[in-house]
Amino acid sequence: MEATASSEALKAVGFNGLGFVNMRLRLMVRFYENHTLPTLLRQAKLAVWLTLAFFFAPQSRFFAQPKPLDKDFNALWESVEMLLGQPDASAGRFLLSKKMQGDSLLAQAEAYIVSFKNDSAVLISRQMLHVLKRQNQHAPPLGLKAQLVLARALEHNDADSISLRLLLHVQEACQKEGPWDTYVKSSLALALLYENMGRPSQCLEYLNYAKSGIDRHDLQAYYPQYAMRACSYYRVFTSNADSAVYYAREVLRTAPIYDLTLEEAWGHLLMDMLRSKKAPDPLQHLKMAATLFIKIEDYTGLSYAFGGI
């Protein structure tokens, strides 16, 4: 009380101009206020708590149990239902009427994504997950693949937040036992999403995860997709034009081997973006890209090609 009164008195004197207050006197009053017995006790308690936190926090983190992935997925599924509404009650009949295996249905959904028919891809993957979740089968390989397809379709529909959460969940769930193709594809999808968000370090991190998965598990069929994303990373985030051109050429070299028409088309678009102004035929790559986009009915990609022409 006395210290506070002293401080207030000094402020009043200085403010009202009733006299000159020496700076040393100001400092002495502040020192007195900060070193009263109650203040020193509070500071001592804080020091003890900080010391305990320093020594014991690492151990508590070590013994803490990781959050189960199933709980994460339940929260994710609630977010999906909030975004898309309650699924059709006839979900099971929908899948049975297709008379197709789950992998075939997901392949069809992925084809819809390629041709930008995202609503159809969302319908198939979401209905499949609804059935699998009721059977507690959303975590095995088929369920993780369905989550990946749904996340990619939602990302194409600009639902980036829920797509990011789903992709992170799938990629983490695949880290120990696979399926490794889903691990690589989810890592590449995350690299693309982080690129679109303008976050180069995260983009490169998941590119490295994808490349590691390709090399360790001999999944060379996904190398053209990796090369496409790596080219885009170097083109967008660095001044390393040589690396960008190298990976664009790698896309054009390897995509035809695996009949990846979409990746080949984008390889030509990337080469056009990176071409020298002295190129003998400046429209060469745009013409090739347009031809390939027409072949797979990707009219969004075709519009990019025509825009360059």
Side-chain angles (χ1 to χ4, degrees):
M1 181 69 71
E2 182 181 346
T4 304
S6 301
S7 179
E8 292 298 325
L10 285 173
K11 289 180 181 178
V13 170
F15 179 77
N16 293 322
L18 298 179
F20 177 76
V21 179
N22 186 277
M23 180 60 70
R24 182 178 297 177
L25 181 58
R26 287 179 180 271
L27 293 175
M28 288 175 62
V29 171
R30 289 176 183 173
F31 178 85
Y32 172 70
E33 288 179 343
N34 293 327
H35 290 78
T36 58
L37 183 59
T39 302
L40 291 174
L41 288 174
R42 286 196 298 269
Q43 292 175 350
K45 288 180 181 179
L46 178 61
V48 171
W49 279 112
L50 289 174
T51 303
L52 291 173
F54 177 81
F55 284 106
F56 292 104
Q59 286 85 342
S60 64
R61 287 194 297 269
F62 179 79
F63 290 110
Q65 293 297 320
K67 190 176 182 180
L69 287 174
D70 281 346
K71 289 187 178 180
D72 288 344
F73 179 75
N74 290 334
L76 283 173
W77 190 248
E78 289 179 4
S79 299
V80 169
E81 290 187 338
M82 288 179 63
L83 177 68
L84 302 176
Q86 290 295 325
D88 192 336
S90 61
R93 293 195 298 274
F94 167 83
L95 294 176
L96 290 174
S97 67
K98 291 292 182 181
K99 296 181 180 179
M100 298 171 64
Q101 296 296 323
D103 286 331
S104 300
L105 274 171
L106 291 178
Q108 184 181 27
E110 289 185 315
Y112 283 138
I113 293 175
V114 169
S115 54
F116 285 86
K117 298 174 182 176
N118 302 313
D119 291 340
S120 297
V122 168
L123 173 66
I124 292 175
S125 55
R126 193 261 188 107
Q127 297 282 50
M128 179 178 290
L129 273 172
H130 178 69
V131 173
L132 291 174
K133 187 174 184 301
R134 280 167 40 187
Q135 299 171 352
N136 200 30
Q137 293 293 314
H138 56 276
L142 183 62
L144 291 172
K145 291 179 180 180
Q147 292 178 49
L148 172 61
V149 172
L150 178 59
R152 292 181 58 210
L154 290 173
E155 187 270 329
H156 280 231
N157 278 347
D158 297 323
D160 289 351
S161 177
I162 186 64
S163 175
L164 177 63
R165 291 170 60 194
L166 272 169
L167 287 171
L168 288 170
H169 172 79
V170 171
Q171 202 263 1
E172 181 183 353
C174 295
Q175 282 181 359
K176 292 184 178 180
E177 298 179 359
W180 299 115
D181 60 335
T182 304
Y183 173 78
V184 170
K185 290 164 74 174
S186 60
S187 298
L188 290 172
L190 282 163
L192 172 60
L193 200 52
Y194 281 125
E195 178 188 320
N196 293 336
M197 292 178 176
R199 296 165 69 174
S201 59
Q202 288 92 340
C203 176
L204 182 60
E205 177 185 1
Y206 284 94
L207 277 175
N208 291 336
Y209 286 143
K211 186 62 167 64
S212 174
I214 290 170
D215 292 341
R216 282 184 306 173
H217 303 285
D218 195 24
L219 295 170
Q220 297 306 314
Y222 295 101
Y223 177 76
Q225 298 174 7
Y226 164 80
M228 186 172 73
R229 296 267 54 84
C231 171
S232 191
Y233 167 81
Y234 283 107
R235 184 182 68 84
V236 172
F237 294 123
T238 76
S239 58
N240 191 343
D242 290 341
S243 292
V245 170
Y246 168 79
Y247 281 113
R249 288 175 176 163
E250 283 290 275
V251 176
L252 295 180
R253 180 183 70 84
T254 58
I257 297 174
Y258 301 103
D259 197 26
L260 298 174
T261 307
L262 176 65
E263 285 74 10
E264 185 180 358
W266 274 100
H268 283 292
L269 274 186
L270 290 168
M271 283 298 294
D272 177 73
M273 296 174 189
L274 297 164
R275 66 178 168 81
S276 168
K277 294 182 179 179
K278 299 179 181 179
D281 185 1
L283 298 181
Q284 173 191 2
H285 289 292
L286 288 176
K287 292 175 182 176
M288 289 297 299
T291 301
L292 292 168
F293 281 130
I294 291 172
K295 179 181 177 182
I296 59 175
E297 299 181 359
D298 183 351
Y299 299 111
T300 301
L302 183 62
S303 68
Y304 294 142
F306 280 146
I309 293 173

